[in-house]
Amino acid sequence: MPARLDHTIVHSRDRFAAARFLTELIDAPEPKPFGPFASVPLANGVTLDYLDHPGHPGDPDGQPGSPIVSQHLAFLVTDQEFDEILGRIRERGLPYWADPAHAEPQRINHLFDGRGVYIDDPDGHSLEFITHTYF
């Protein structure tokens, strides 16, 4: 049996603000505290655990940390969920793109008989929402 992804850690400057950015877009429940994390459980059982990156403004040691390395997180959603998410993106006036290189601003794509959109979260992570898997 192949391995299943259970959770992954997403570094942020403010774990709850970053987790809320996502949960508000996807209309998910409030992130839950779990140890040093703000946890966002997803429908397929995977949890995104947002963690304050060393050197963030609230870091108790006050030492500057290394920059946050951008991650790409892709979410498979239904057509209805896509419409709702895109509506929230537009309502908030957030920039979005049809492609990961940000060459097609304020557009969506229609790859693999579906629709897709990319946005950047406040920490520079690339969030992709697609209605059809690429495989």
Side-chain angles (χ1 to χ4, degrees):
M1 175 170 124
R4 263 185 12 200
L5 182 64
D6 181 75
H7 65 277
T8 191
I9 295 172
V10 182
H11 285 243
S12 61
R13 285 185 285 281
D14 179 330
R15 66 186 183 272
F16 278 97
R20 281 187 194 103
F21 180 84
L22 175 62
T23 59
E24 289 172 0
L25 284 179
I26 63 174
D27 195 30
E30 178 78 9
K32 301 288 182 209
F34 179 70
F37 306 108
S39 293
V40 178
L42 302 173
N44 62 348
V46 173
T47 301
L48 299 180
D49 291 326
Y50 284 83
L51 177 68
D52 287 335
H53 189 69
H56 67 66
D59 191 352
D61 69 17
Q63 299 300 312
S66 59
I68 293 174
V69 175
S70 176
Q71 291 178 256
H72 175 93
L73 303 168
F75 301 90
L76 182 61
V77 297
T78 66
D79 283 309
Q80 180 179 339
E81 290 167 334
F82 185 89
D83 291 338
E84 292 167 357
I85 291 165
L86 185 58
R88 290 182 196 107
I89 290 168
R90 288 176 172 160
E91 285 170 9
R92 289 170 173 81
L94 298 172
Y96 61 93
W97 299 268
D99 65 309
H102 297 177
E104 299 179 59
Q106 304 312 104
R107 295 182 57 202
I108 65 170
N109 68 56
H110 297 275
L111 300 175
F112 302 95
D113 298 320
R115 294 180 293 160
V117 66
Y118 295 80
I119 66 165
D120 290 340
D121 83 357
D123 294 305
H125 299 298
S126 177
L127 306 181
E128 177 184 12
F129 299 97
I130 55 175
T131 61
H132 193 281
T133 186
Y134 294 162
F135 299 98

